[in-house]
Amino acid sequence: DGGITQSPKYLFRKEGQNVTLSCEQNLNHDAMYWYRQDPGQGLRLIYYSQIVNDFQKGDIAEGYSVSREKKESFPLTVTSAQKNPTAFYLCASSIGGSTNYGYTFGSGTRLTVV
Amino acid sequence: QKEVEQNSGPLSVPEGAIASLNCTYSDRGSQSFFWYRQYSGKSPELIMFIYSNGDKEDGRFTAQLNKASQYVSLLIRDSQPSDSATYLCAAGGDYGQNFVFGPGTRLSVLP
């Protein structure tokens, strides 16, 4: 079945540590996105990529980094510069870079600072 | 700044009633509109999308779009306790235009 796989489901980060969240899709979608969701709040865009080897900052990119070396993969690194990383992280993809067809979401990664 | 606004709720309705969720958007260039349902701790799932003015029905769900008023709504008929969730409204567009999500409306259907 086609879909988006995010791993791990739960992740714990120590202070000052970098962690990487995985996002893989087999939908042959061109565009991929990373969102952050805090409790009781909406989705905020971190980074997005319309094509391989290219990505753009979203509204809250500080303290995060991404890569897009393969069409199927869009990993997100939460760096030590992100001072409040505890949140629910969602990866999404869309056909051809156009949001007119909607997003498909992964199941999410819940990151907690310990 | 492109915005999508929703009442945060909670919106409480009795089981079997019609739940009405509303959304307004600021960008007249938005071409497509989506309603996602998100259960607590889960990722959003697409339940309806609409591109043209008017109504679109799918089972118990009806999406309504009025581009002149920049207004989108979702009606849920015969509401069930399993419909209790947060409903996210989103506006999309052409290549290069990212989704703009509203903050979501929390719906509670009371048995």
Side-chain angles (χ1 to χ4, degrees):
Chain A
D1 288 336
I4 298 181
T5 301
Q6 287 188 243
S7 62
K9 191 174 178 68
Y10 299 96
L11 185 58
F12 298 91
R13 193 194 90 166
K14 295 180 180 178
E15 296 282 352
Q17 190 178 43
N18 292 355
V19 292
T20 297
L21 284 60
S22 171
C23 178
E24 303 276 335
Q25 56 103 354
N26 60 3
L27 299 165
N28 200 33
H29 284 178
D30 291 303
M32 298 186 74
Y33 311 82
W34 274 105
Y35 283 87
R36 168 180 173 145
Q37 187 175 39
D38 293 281
Q41 298 191 27
L43 303 177
R44 292 188 289 169
L45 182 64
I46 304 172
Y47 269 99
Y48 63 100
S49 168
Q50 302 282 5
I51 56 173
V52 175
N53 292 323
D54 186 46
F55 49 83
Q56 307 295 329
K57 292 182 179 180
D59 300 320
I60 56 165
E62 186 175 349
Y64 300 97
S65 65
V66 293
S67 63
R68 186 86 187 276
E69 298 176 0
K70 299 186 299 181
K71 188 175 184 178
E72 303 78 22
S73 179
F74 191 41
L76 173 74
T77 297
V78 184
T79 75
S80 57
Q82 172 50 240
K83 297 307 179 187
N84 185 22
T86 295
F88 188 45
Y89 290 86
L90 287 160
C91 180
S93 68
S94 65
I95 297 173
S98 168
T99 49
N100 270 336
Y101 302 103
Y103 280 2
T104 299
F105 282 95
S107 56
T109 293
R110 191 165 300 279
L111 174 62
T112 303
V113 174
V114 295
Chain B
Q1 181 81 358
K2 300 175 184 178
E3 292 184 337
V4 172
E5 297 185 349
Q6 298 178 253
N7 287 328
S8 61
L11 172 66
S12 295
V13 300
E15 184 175 355
I18 296 175
S20 178
L21 306 165
N22 304 315
C23 167
T24 59
Y25 60 95
S26 64
D27 181 18
R28 286 194 173 273
S30 297
Q31 301 178 10
S32 52
F33 304 89
F34 300 80
W35 284 98
Y36 285 85
R37 177 176 63 199
Q38 186 176 25
Y39 291 113
S40 181
K42 303 295 185 182
S43 63
E45 56 179 323
L46 180 65
I47 54 173
M48 287 288 290
F49 61 90
I50 186 166
Y51 300 145
S52 304
N53 277 330
D55 295 358
K56 179 181 179 182
E57 187 174 319
D58 184 1
R60 295 187 296 113
F61 299 98
T62 299
Q64 299 174 317
L65 174 60
N66 183 327
K67 289 187 177 181
S69 301
Q70 296 176 246
Y71 177 87
V72 190
S73 66
L74 178 70
L75 301 178
I76 306 175
R77 290 181 298 281
D78 188 24
S79 296
Q80 301 297 310
S82 59
D83 294 325
S84 297
T86 296
Y87 289 79
L88 303 172
C89 175
D94 274 337
Y95 185 91
Q97 294 185 20
N98 296 319
F99 259 18
V100 180
F101 281 94
T105 297
R106 189 156 57 93
L107 172 66
S108 178
V109 180
L110 306 174

